């Protein structure tokens, strides 16, 4: 298994980062293949009663019973593509978590983003372990403590694996902010166990 750096954020929240979980060349090949083959699309979400497109493309792949509902959206699972199934099996093996779903996000450029949130839906359980694999160009990933407002940030580059665990989804939120800098596209895969 790749080198992992573990960081304790206090109150039972922790992170693990492997910057080179995938070889950079393999990460680029995988990105090209996934962008070409996965059913990535713009979803419409309802925020304060109004429908608007999410500023990124997404695909939801999971076991058939995993229907993901949030912000008025209902994502029915797409079947496992072979490269997703093998990433899932490697992660399950290395982390000992039976991942059965992945949300794939494509940030085409700096205008695509993800706002402040936590992966705290009930379907993910009490203290979920979430594995986030990044492919393509690096983007800023920021964590913010809900009460102290303390922040912690990473540049998540192609081939990296960030694991979030313990109470991190209760105590902290995270985001991928927009940027006016010229950045290449980035594909992120967040793996979860969905009950
Ligand atoms: O793109 C990222 O690094 C974060 C994605 C994320 O937070 C999510 O899918 O819930
Ligand atoms: Mn998230």
């Amino acid at each position: 298994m790749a080198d992992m750096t573990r960081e304790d954020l206090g109150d039972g929240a922790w992170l693990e980062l492997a910057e080179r979980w995938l070889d950079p060349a393999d990460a680029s090949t995988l990105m090209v293949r996934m962008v070409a083959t996965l059913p990535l699309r713009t979803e419409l979400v309802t925020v304060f009663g109004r429908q608007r497109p999410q500023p990124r493309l997404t695909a939801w792949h999971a076991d058939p019973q995993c229907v993901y509902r949030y912000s008025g959206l209902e994502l029915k699972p797409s079947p496992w593509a072979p490269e997703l199934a093998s990433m899932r099996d490697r992660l399950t093996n290395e982390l000992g978590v039976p991942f059965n779903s992945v949300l794939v996000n494509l940030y085409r450029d700096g205008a695509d983003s993800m706002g402040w949130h936590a992966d705290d839906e009930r379907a993910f359980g009490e203290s979920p372990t979430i594995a986030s694999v990044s492919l393509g160009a690096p983007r800023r990933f920021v964590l913010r403590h809900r009460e102290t407002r303390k922040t912690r940030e990473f540049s998540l580059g192609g081939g990296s694996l960030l694991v979030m665990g313990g109470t991190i989804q209760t105590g902290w939120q995270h985001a991928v902010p927009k940027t006016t800098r010229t950045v290449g596209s980035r594909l992120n895969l967040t793996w979860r166990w969905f009950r």
Side-chain angles (χ1 to χ4, degrees):
M1 153 129 116
D3 274 350
M4 293 279 254
T5 314
R6 188 172 173 112
E7 193 176 330
D8 185 355
L9 296 174
D11 296 326
W14 56 264
L15 285 172
E16 272 175 3
L17 178 64
E19 280 180 350
R20 265 197 178 233
W21 188 70
L22 290 171
D23 174 80
D26 294 346
S28 337
T29 313
L30 203 53
M31 165 133 181
V32 171
R33 193 173 322 139
M34 286 185 179
V35 170
T37 58
L38 300 184
L40 288 156
R41 41 175 273 167
T42 305
E43 296 290 350
L44 290 175
V45 287
T46 310
V47 182
F48 301 119
R50 294 177 108 188
Q51 275 211 331
R52 59 172 172 121
Q54 283 185 325
R56 59 186 176 274
L57 304 183
T58 58
W60 171 247
H61 292 261
D63 288 349
Q65 76 279 10
C66 304
V67 177
Y68 189 15
R69 295 185 183 86
Y70 67 98
S71 302
L73 190 64
E74 186 179 276
L75 298 181
K76 296 210 178 75
S78 297
W80 292 109
E83 58 273 23
L84 289 174
S86 61
M87 191 182 287
R88 177 198 62 203
D89 294 346
R90 180 177 167 198
L91 286 166
T92 294
N93 231 318
E94 292 183 4
L95 303 175
V97 176
F99 296 111
N100 60 6
S101 69
V102 63
L103 182 66
V104 186
N105 289 297
L106 176 65
Y107 304 88
R108 291 158 290 188
D109 56 28
D112 277 354
S113 63
M114 187 172 295
W116 289 109
H117 72 283
D119 299 344
D120 57 359
E121 275 107 82
R122 285 182 53 196
F124 304 138
E126 262 305 285
S127 293
T129 299
I130 292 171
S132 162
V133 176
S134 296
L135 306 175
R139 281 289 292 264
R140 261 178 81 222
F141 176 84
V142 193
L143 287 144
R144 172 176 82 183
H145 193 274
R146 287 185 200 259
E147 274 148 31
T148 65
R149 299 275 138 175
K150 178 184 151 87
T151 59
R152 182 74 185 85
E153 68 174 74
F154 297 90
S155 170
L156 294 182
S160 67
L161 165 67
L162 178 75
V163 185
M164 299 186 270
T167 57
I168 195 165
Q169 305 301 335
T170 327
W172 297 70
Q173 291 180 310
H174 53 272
V176 178
K178 286 189 199 306
T179 175
T180 52
R181 286 184 17 241
T182 307
V183 291
S185 54
R186 167 178 180 262
L187 194 75
N188 176 264
L189 302 105
T190 41
W191 294 88
R192 305 167 172 119
W193 177 72
F194 195 97
R195 60 174 170 185

